[in-house]
Amino acid sequence: MAYSEALPKEQIPLGCQLCESEKKIEWKCNDCNLFMCDQCKDGVHFRIAKDHKLLNIKEIGEHEDSWNSFAFSKLNCQDHPNQPCSLYCKTCSNVICLKCIVKVHNGHDFVDEEEFCDKKEVLQEGQKKVQSNLSKLSCRKGKMMAPEEAENPKLLQIKQNIMDHKKNLCKIMEIYADNLVHDANQQFGTLKQEEGTKIDKEIQNMHAKNEALESIIKSRDFMKFLSDFDKLYVSLNENMLQDTSNISSLPNFVPAEFTVLNFGTLEGNLSHAKFKVTNQWTTELRNIHSIVRCLDSSLWIADNVNGLLQHVKLETDNVNLLSSFNSKVFGLVDISSCILLSTEETRLKKIDRGSSDIGDSVYSIAPLIARDVHVTKDEKVVITARSPGKAFSAKGRSVVLVNQPGKRFVKFDLFEYERYPKPLFTLPVRVASTSNGNICVVDTLEKDLRGRVVVIGQAGKVKGIYSGHDDVNSKDKPFKPQDILATPSDNILVTDWENHLIHILNHDGEFISYYNLKDIGIYYPHSLALSTSGHLYIGCTGSFIPFLKTFRGKLYKENNAFFVITNLIETPKQTIGICSEDPKVLGLTVQHPVSVLQEKYFQLEMVSFLQVLLLTGECNTTVGRCLIRAWCPVENGAAKAPEPPALLGSKDFTVFIKNNIQFPKFKVKRRNLPDNASDEFFQTCNYGSHSIDCPILRLETIVREAGENYSAMAKEGGVIEIQIQWNCNLDLSESDCVPKYIFRRLDSSDYKISKGYNFRYAKYYKENDVEYRTLFKAFGIKFILSVTGEAGKFNLEPFLINVGSGLAILGMATVICDIVVLYFLKARNLYKDKKYLQVVGDDAYKQLDDQNDEDKSE
């Protein structure tokens, strides 16, 4: 027989499932769930699955008996040996009987046998899933470890292209070509090794899970089983490692001109470019318009709106400021001896190594004005330039190529409209170069920053003009290039600032691909640079709205509430010092300077709630204010909140409200998510007049439902209550028990003082060992959540009590009427005569009968 004696006698014996014969089965594979004979076990199964677990058929019955006997009812209680166990007490970590519940464990947390069995089944199903994943991973590993004859067709094609290109060159190129073939093999081998390592690691994890599951399933320790169940259950829901092997990521071979130094390179496949954020840093600059990487891996970054240039060193989790300069910089480059700067003057500036001053360089292009500066691989300086005057009205837009000077006087050539029927450039703002000598220029065409990329060859001939791609650029979303970078493989990267894109071009300016940086959380990319290890630095900026700059909407979480910043007043670059007090603060006007010393403590007490300060006893008689020691310059108390609000775009923020309620008396639990909700529902729904059951609410919708205007409220802030009301008739279906959202503003827009909602916070930093801070007064809207409700359901018992009480009250009505009629009305004696009959003597009943006869006769 194939099974243990538990099988009914009329069941047909099972034969070997590998050879499909009637040979006696002696083994079972736990991984494949197959029964097999002894011959198939060694001859077939062992060859294809050496690491699978096999069980002798005689051990299966014992294994199943052990599993089935793992139950509460199979054990007797330790305290009451004659009673079988029925529950597991989680509070005491022990198996108990019914008597124990009454005496010792009343009110504890229990697990019954049904729940226990359900958990065992969950682990069994999870083990099957793990075993299935192990089989799939083994197959994937087998494919990855296939011999070289089965290599990917793309790899074979790359090798063939390399060898065909090699035949056209002299023998001097053979070594170089062989090296490239070796690199291709090495990269493919690296891919195989990396994928194999991932699969091996995942297989180890799966084996560990399987062993843990096997151990706990066989265990008879209830406390260990239940304590480990949750952890194992969570691990079972983890997805198996996805098949991420992408041989298409192998680099392509790009043929070059037949020169010894330019045989060709293995170029990454940028037609399907993918970017990944490996680290991010927050600088003190609001905008990063320029980035230059130095040989020591430090960076120079510039904000030409606020006129700041910083030399920084990026560390793991912070930015170390090395030096700082107050200067508008429109372009900069690192050369061997110094940093060259373009400050929109006729002569380039420089910062020598270790110097703290900005000086004049030898590079002058007078009478033209320099805009950007770049150094080619053959050490020629390239400068974008324009003639004096307004940016979009001046004539003479050039890209100047300057030979590296040995003297103070330099020569330059113009790629300008002298060679073309009409001007080639409108406003050249950025420049880069490829290894084959092409000059790549970002040319801005309009004041709204729309532009194009112009690629010029060594002979001054235009090789390509790129004005954006139809898939991502249109009249409403024009191409707005801001920076350009040539990679070592001569690809050209261009930032499309307002569309949050990077466009990828070849060395002639032809389109290859683009990448949407919003997919990885990067917005408004402006500047680009390459690290020494080949990673890409991306510097971002904010909008050009004066108060927005690089600020983003911030969401702060509170207990049963959340707060959204909508507006800001900034007091930049404060430092500890002595300055005049804010004129808005009352009680500090200097009328008689002598009295200041006598009254300063009283005055300090008056204003201490407004600002932390220390009176110096001195006066600024020019403005008539006290001098204080505080963070200077002091905040302008008279400054009004910016209008329109700086972060008005926060109106499009959405809030997902999840609310769970319970009516314990009726054992009903509800939540504010529709019963039939799906993933598609949450991707498209938004609370409003057409969807009042959607728990996703736009902030503007919340404010509007409260009867307010978001733009007006965002200026100075406010407080709004979101009330979730649950009023349910449980005689109907539970699905009809749904919440109602009520919105109202708690503060008032009519307040004369301290209107709205705001707070202050500061960001501290150091420059040249001097501590500074930037003080922000943040306005915003605080949303408070509250939940109320009641539920009712028909019950016969209170109904009968109410009916009985009503009938009893009706019985009392006659008594009350008699009291009023017999004692309070004027005709009470008449009513008494009618109500009562006076009888005397033994014949009272006869007299009563006579009275009744008289009444009838009447």
Side-chain angles (χ1 to χ4, degrees), residues 532-746:
T532 52
S533 59
H535 289 87
L536 182 66
Y537 291 124
I538 302 177
C540 299
T541 70
S543 168
F544 287 142
I545 300 173
F547 293 103
L548 180 58
K549 298 178 182 177
T550 56
F551 293 119
R552 303 288 165 83
K554 296 185 179 181
L555 188 67
Y556 294 88
K557 182 174 178 282
E558 305 179 40
N559 291 330
N560 299 320
F562 59 93
F563 177 79
V564 179
I565 294 180
T566 57
N567 213 348
L568 286 164
I569 294 178
E570 176 192 1
T571 306
K573 208 160 187 179
Q574 289 182 317
T575 185
I576 296 293
I578 297 175
C579 52
S580 298
E581 174 54 26
D582 179 14
K584 182 95 188 281
V585 179
L586 300 178
L588 292 181
T589 302
V590 179
Q591 296 177 348
H592 304 287
V594 179
S595 65
V596 173
L597 285 172
Q598 301 171 353
E599 300 178 3
K600 64 178 180 179
Y601 297 107
F602 171 70
Q603 293 165 349
L604 177 60
E605 181 67 18
M606 288 176 58
V607 300
S608 61
F609 71 97
L610 293 175
Q611 196 165 0
V612 178
L613 54 86
L614 180 63
L615 293 172
T616 62
E618 298 178 358
C619 311
N620 185 342
T621 56
T622 303
V623 297
R625 306 302 296 167
C626 293
L627 293 179
I628 59 170
R629 181 171 179 79
W631 286 97
C632 299
V634 296
E635 182 184 29
N636 182 6
K640 295 184 178 180
E643 192 171 3
L647 298 173
L648 186 58
S650 60
K651 66 183 180 181
D652 293 321
F653 285 8
T654 57
V655 180
F656 183 16
I657 299 177
K658 292 180 68 175
N659 174 226
N660 295 272
I661 56 104
Q662 180 182 20
F663 298 109
K665 185 173 182 179
F666 304 114
K667 298 181 179 180
V668 173
K669 295 181 179 180
R670 297 292 295 162
R671 62 177 183 167
N672 65 327
L673 307 184
D675 295 333
N676 58 350
S678 62
D679 291 339
E680 291 76 13
F681 172 80
F682 288 113
Q683 290 172 2
T684 58
C685 86
N686 216 316
Y687 180 88
S689 57
H690 300 293
S691 179
I692 60 173
D693 58 344
C694 178
I696 301 176
L697 300 88
R698 287 178 70 245
L699 297 188
E700 185 180 29
T701 303
I702 297 174
V703 174
R704 185 175 62 249
E705 291 289 331
E708 300 289 336
N709 179 275
Y710 192 92
S711 298
M713 195 172 184
K715 179 183 176 183
E716 295 183 312
V719 182
I720 285 183
E721 179 188 24
I722 305 174
Q723 189 178 107
I724 307 174
Q725 285 190 353
W726 294 85
N727 295 321
C728 300
N729 182 359
L730 297 181
D731 289 325
L732 305 176
S733 171
E734 284 189 14
S735 61
D736 294 328
C737 180
V738 295
K740 178 182 178 182
Y741 297 91
I742 298 176
F743 310 93
R744 59 175 180 160
R745 182 169 182 174
L746 299 183

Side-chain angles (χ1 to χ4, degrees), residues 363-470:
Y363 297 95
S364 174
I365 57 171
L368 298 177
I369 295 175
R371 177 77 184 198
D372 188 26
V373 58
H374 170 75
V375 175
T376 64
K377 288 189 175 180
D378 54 357
E379 296 188 343
K380 290 184 178 180
V381 176
V382 182
I383 304 171
T384 61
R386 65 177 179 86
S387 57
K390 294 184 179 180
F392 287 94
S393 62
K395 297 180 180 180
R397 313 306 172 89
S398 306
V399 175
V400 181
L401 184 63
V402 184
N403 291 321
Q404 193 77 317
K407 300 180 180 180
R408 194 167 184 79
F409 303 98
V410 298
K411 298 179 180 180
F412 59 86
D413 299 319
L414 298 179
F415 295 99
E416 200 12 306
Y417 56 86
E418 301 156 358
R419 304 186 180 188
Y420 302 96
K422 53 185 179 179
L424 176 60
F425 299 113
T426 303
L427 181 63
V429 293
R430 290 289 189 184
V431 63
S433 64
T434 60
S435 59
N436 63 354
N438 289 349
I439 303 296
C440 313
V441 181
V442 172
D443 185 26
T444 301
L445 304 176
E446 303 286 346
K447 290 183 179 180
D448 65 357
L449 302 182
R450 68 184 65 200
R452 60 182 182 170
V453 174
V454 180
V455 179
I456 304 170
Q458 287 182 321
K461 181 180 178 181
V462 176
K463 304 193 72 173
I465 295 178
Y466 178 75
S467 300
H469 196 272
D470 293 340

Side-chain angles (χ1 to χ4, degrees), residues 96-220:
I96 59 174
C97 66
L98 294 176
K99 286 186 177 180
C100 296
I101 298 175
V102 179
K103 293 184 178 181
V104 180
H105 301 273
N106 188 17
H108 290 189
D109 190 9
F110 301 115
V111 175
D112 58 21
E113 193 157 8
E114 182 179 358
E115 181 182 353
F116 175 69
C117 292
D118 290 341
K119 294 185 181 224
K120 289 198 295 186
E121 291 178 2
V122 169
L123 292 184
Q124 280 185 311
E125 291 299 322
Q127 187 181 28
K128 291 179 182 178
K129 180 180 176 182
V130 171
Q131 292 170 350
S132 174
N133 290 341
L134 277 171
S135 178
K136 292 177 181 177
L137 288 169
S138 297
C139 293
R140 280 170 53 186
K141 183 178 180 181
K143 291 179 181 179
M144 286 301 302
M145 298 305 162
E148 290 189 0
E149 290 77 15
E151 284 179 348
N152 185 272
K154 182 174 180 180
L155 177 65
L156 295 175
Q157 184 62 46
I158 292 171
K159 288 184 178 182
Q160 186 63 41
N161 291 342
I162 294 172
M163 301 309 297
D164 290 344
H165 196 57
K166 171 185 174 184
K167 292 178 182 179
N168 298 323
L169 300 177
C170 301
K171 291 183 180 181
I172 193 172
M173 299 305 301
E174 289 182 1
I175 297 176
Y176 190 77
D178 291 338
N179 288 338
L180 286 178
V181 173
H182 176 267
D183 290 343
N185 280 323
Q186 189 174 25
Q187 291 192 32
F188 182 71
T190 302
L191 279 176
K192 289 202 304 182
Q193 184 177 1
E194 289 177 354
E195 184 67 12
T197 302
K198 290 180 183 177
I199 295 174
D200 286 338
K201 186 176 180 180
E202 188 69 11
I203 288 175
Q204 291 177 3
N205 292 337
M206 291 297 174
H207 276 305
K209 284 184 184 178
N210 190 39
E211 291 173 1
L213 289 168
E214 187 72 22
S215 173
I216 193 172
I217 288 172
K218 290 183 178 182
S219 173
R220 302 174 67 87

